[in-house]
Amino acid sequence: MLQLQQLMHKTLIGVIGVIALSFGSVAMAELDALDGVAKPKGDKCSIPGEESEIRAHHFQYILHQRDKTMHQGVRTKDSSLKECINCHVPENTSVRFGDDKHFCSACHKQAGVTIDCFQCHADRPGQIPGIHKQAMAELETKLNAEVTATPGTEPSVTGAAQ
Amino acid sequence: MKEITVNISRRHFFEKSATAVAGLSIAPGVFLTQVAQAKPAEQAVTADKRWGMLIDTGKCASGCTSCVDACHEENGVTSHGRPETDAQWIRKVKLRDKATNHVISLPMMCQHCETAPCVDVCPTGASFKRVDGIVLVDKHICIGCRYCMMACPYKARSFIHETITDQVEYAPRGKGTVESCTMCVQRVDVGGTPACVEACNKAEHGAMIFGDLKDPNSAISQELEKHGGKQIRADLKLNTGVRYQGI
């Protein structure tokens, strides 16, 4: 009986040892996953919190922002998928989602997580047609012109209010 | 006392100019036309506005497809070589009166109904109306059942049959979901004008006016007040956001 107990004890230690070793190798592999992946452009992540928090829960932040953008028209850069791509994927890259060098693919492949974000969303920055770029440039000029033009109208407005 | 009044109105002025320049029309003659208004990015849209469009069919040139081309370029809507199932956010329609042979040309797209049938029938809540009146599809929860396509009296929606690549960054599109005109929500939210309206103006037709239907001083409201505008299938009482003249 004592021998059986000792045997079980040893087996248990062995199993724990194997588990610990495999965890260690996963941790090492996690670090390897981002090897060769382009470094982010910015210094600070648009998702709040420490890196471990971002790694563990980024999808929750993105999901929350997704609904705010879609339904309420909130278009801040915080936790926006577009910002993830703008920062973590270089411009004019040939790397696409699914490649080992794509920032999102690298970890998700490692973790065995299938995501469908990029069935619809652009997987690299700069996917903006000329017509939109031109419209935004014209809009900016127009809004700037209004800001500089409005102080001149101030006397008549205050006059009317009095 | 007088100085305080000046300060208050000055502060009032800056508040207004930051968010809604058109509100300044309390001073007669200061602003007659609507000025582009940039909503701060962190601010949610409100029901104080209702975006709409007014289309003058008398000015819409037969054969011109500027609005369609601009829309599809802006939103990355491309053909898969199968015209019958290609997505179509806006299309040109030609109507001929058999009695007089009078031909009317007009652009047809999502009419952004107040009581939208597509929203009514959607089983998942993917079809929804934003509080500012823009009807959208939340593709994250769209299951591609196409009930909305059957419910829409304007045939405004398209289903995506093919795998899509190279989407533009602000207009995600993907296989298995339904889509339609978004009134270029990515532009409207930053104070811009939909691509179709802009293109129509650039082509010097000026057949389309975009603006806030709730603001009595907006160009669209003024024109509607002066000359009126009809809804297509007004009998359905959908209170569309897109109105037409000359039909």
Side-chain angles (χ1 to χ4, degrees):
Chain A
M1 194 63 193
L2 192 70
Q3 271 182 342
L4 187 66
Q5 265 187 351
Q6 273 179 344
L7 187 67
M8 281 176 68
H9 215 91
K10 276 182 187 167
T11 318
L12 196 65
I13 290 169
V15 168
I16 290 170
V18 168
I19 291 172
L21 270 174
S22 58
F23 265 113
S25 62
V26 167
M28 286 301 289
E30 245 179 52
L31 289 175
D32 291 340
L34 286 177
D35 270 359
V37 174
K39 294 269 173 280
K41 289 184 204 99
D43 313 321
K44 202 177 166 294
C45 193
S46 74
I47 300 174
E50 297 295 317
E51 195 178 311
S52 56
E53 163 74 4
I54 297 166
R55 280 187 179 221
H57 299 296
H58 61 279
F59 49 92
Q60 289 172 340
Y61 289 99
I62 296 172
L63 189 73
H64 185 67
Q65 179 71 11
R66 172 196 103 175
D67 290 342
K68 274 171 74 176
T69 306
M70 183 85 235
H71 293 261
Q72 297 171 16
V74 173
R75 291 180 192 275
T76 52
K77 291 182 173 180
D78 302 339
S79 309
S80 138
L81 179 66
K82 197 162 85 180
E83 279 313 299
C84 298
I85 294 300
N86 283 345
C87 191
H88 286 285
V89 183
E91 306 255 351
N92 307 320
T93 181
S94 59
V95 174
R96 306 296 301 267
F97 179 74
D99 298 343
D100 291 338
K101 305 270 185 217
H102 190 278
F103 178 75
C104 302
S105 307
C107 275
H108 285 134
K109 270 194 176 175
Q110 189 71 58
V113 176
T114 309
I115 55 167
D116 54 10
C117 306
F118 301 104
Q119 286 177 14
C120 292
H121 286 273
D123 58 359
R124 60 202 195 283
Q127 295 298 98
I128 308 170
I131 190 172
H132 187 79
K133 280 184 192 164
Q134 198 190 339
M136 289 300 111
E138 283 170 11
L139 182 66
E140 201 178 337
T141 320
K142 197 175 157 193
L143 289 173
N144 285 341
E146 273 163 25
V147 169
T148 45
T150 36
T153 58
E154 194 184 350
S156 62
V157 173
T158 35
Q162 281 170 344
Chain B
M1 198 59 199
K2 197 185 171 193
E3 209 175 297
I4 293 166
T5 319
V6 169
N7 283 339
I8 289 169
S9 54
R10 182 170 293 185
R11 182 186 294 168
H12 187 65
F13 168 75
F14 282 120
E15 277 171 9
K16 287 278 183 187
S17 59
T19 54
V21 181
L24 287 176
S25 54
I26 43 159
V30 174
F31 290 115
L32 283 174
T33 52
Q34 195 189 14
V35 190
Q37 304 153 23
K39 169 182 81 65
E42 70 279 3
Q43 193 179 300
V45 293
T46 65
D48 295 341
K49 291 184 190 300
R50 186 182 177 205
W51 297 116
M53 257 186 224
L54 178 61
I55 295 157
D56 185 347
T57 58
K59 292 179 184 167
C60 179
S62 182
C64 170
T65 56
S66 298
C67 53
V68 181
D69 299 340
C71 167
H72 288 175
E73 189 189 341
E74 167 80 12
N75 296 294
V77 180
T78 48
S79 169
H80 289 272
R82 296 199 296 150
E84 283 183 356
T85 55
D86 278 344
Q88 196 177 49
W89 288 24
I90 178 171
R91 63 187 190 273
K92 282 295 291 288
V93 174
K94 202 191 256 183
L95 303 168
R96 192 171 63 87
D97 184 336
K98 282 179 186 164
T100 61
N101 276 334
H102 179 57
V103 174
I104 298 172
S105 170
L106 56 87
M108 172 55 68
M109 70 292 231
C110 172
Q111 303 286 295
H112 298 277
C113 311
E114 189 191 4
T115 48
C118 56
V119 176
D120 274 353
V121 300
C122 180
T124 66
S127 262
F128 71 100
K129 185 167 69 78
R130 257 178 28 160
V131 288
D132 61 358
I134 300 180
V135 176
L136 296 171
V137 181
D138 185 344
K139 291 170 191 172
H140 303 108
I141 46 178
C142 173
I143 55 170
C145 72
R146 289 164 266 183
Y147 281 170
C148 56
M149 288 176 70
M150 284 182 265
C152 177
Y154 307 103
K155 214 178 173 183
R157 289 208 160 164
S158 303
F159 180 76
I160 308 299
H161 295 264
E162 287 90 357
T163 302
I164 295 181
T165 52
D166 300 324
Q167 296 90 333
V168 296
E169 62 175 35
Y170 48 76
R173 307 176 58 236
K175 183 178 172 178
T177 59
V178 171
E179 59 183 25
S180 59
C181 157
T182 61
M183 227 179 230
C184 285
V185 76
Q186 70 279 0
R187 288 179 175 220
V188 173
D189 280 348
V190 294
T193 311
C196 55
V197 178
E198 191 187 81
C200 190
N201 287 333
K202 280 192 178 163
E204 293 179 357
H205 296 306
M208 302 171 92
I209 304 173
F210 167 79
D212 180 8
L213 296 169
K214 284 190 178 169
D215 175 8
N217 298 302
S218 66
I220 186 168
S221 298
Q222 300 245 327
E223 178 62 21
L224 276 167
E225 190 182 341
K226 220 179 282 174
H227 298 115
K230 282 186 189 165
Q231 302 179 55
I232 291 179
R233 289 300 306 271
D235 56 314
L236 297 171
K237 298 192 171 65
L238 301 173
N239 190 9
T240 57
V242 179
R243 304 284 171 118
Y244 292 84
Q245 289 174 333
I247 55 166

